[in-house]
Amino acid sequence: MDGCIFCGIASGAIPAKVLFQDDHVVAFHDIHPVAPVHVLVIPKRHVASLAEVSPDDREMLGHLMSAVRRVAVETGVAESGFRTVINTGEGAGQSVFHLHIHVLGGRTFPWPP
Ligand code: DGP
């Protein structure tokens, strides 16, 4: 989508520290990390947020979750533990309106957040 930063990263037009990508998803390091491991997983296709997904997106959502596991393994936090976050809507802190999963690791995370 024109003007979407993450569409730009998905297409390669905007540079990012990409961990891996495939036909469906891109995993790249967050520009403002809040943990030693802070990777974002996005679908290549533009979807604004989790509030915008439909039943047709089930396969894409599966790709995202599978990629989250791969991020955890490749960054070495699969065993120590990792936090996944999807901010949905401005009220929840979403600032980029292209669906993304934060994968955070390398430190402890309080609960409730
Ligand atoms: P959220 O607040 O949940 O919408 O998270 C958006 C995240 O995206 C935030 O942690 C910072 C990150 N981010 C924003 N712009 C860029 C960018 O141009 N490159 C990278 N790598 N990350 C970005």
Side-chain angles (χ1 to χ4, degrees), residues 5-10 14-21 25-32 37-44 67 71 75 96 98-103:
I5 295 173
F6 287 179
C7 283
I9 289 174
I14 295 175
K17 285 173 61 184
V18 173
L19 193 61
F20 63 81
Q21 60 181 311
V25 304
V26 187
F28 57 96
H29 294 274
D30 194 289
I31 203 166
H32 298 308
V37 172
H38 189 171
V39 172
L40 301 175
V41 178
I42 65 168
K44 284 194 166 172
V71 167
T75 59
V96 178
H98 180 126
L99 177 62
H100 52 282
I101 304 178
H102 297 258
V103 185

Side-chain angles (χ1 to χ4, degrees), residues 1-93:
M1 194 183 87
D2 279 356
C4 171
I5 295 173
F6 287 179
C7 283
I9 289 174
S11 71
I14 295 175
K17 285 173 61 184
V18 173
L19 193 61
F20 63 81
Q21 60 181 311
D22 61 23
D23 289 346
H24 306 281
V25 304
V26 187
F28 57 96
H29 294 274
D30 194 289
I31 203 166
H32 298 308
V34 297
V37 172
H38 189 171
V39 172
L40 301 175
V41 178
I42 65 168
K44 284 194 166 172
R45 182 167 56 80
H46 184 83
V47 179
S49 79
L50 200 55
E52 305 292 324
V53 302
S54 75
D56 291 343
D57 294 316
R58 280 181 292 204
E59 195 173 337
M60 175 270 284
L61 293 168
H63 285 296
L64 287 177
M65 296 310 286
S66 181
V68 165
R69 180 185 178 277
R70 183 173 166 190
V71 167
V73 170
E74 292 195 8
T75 59
V77 299
E79 288 185 16
S80 56
F82 57 95
R83 172 70 54 86
T84 48
V85 175
I86 304 175
N87 295 321
T88 304
E90 280 179 24

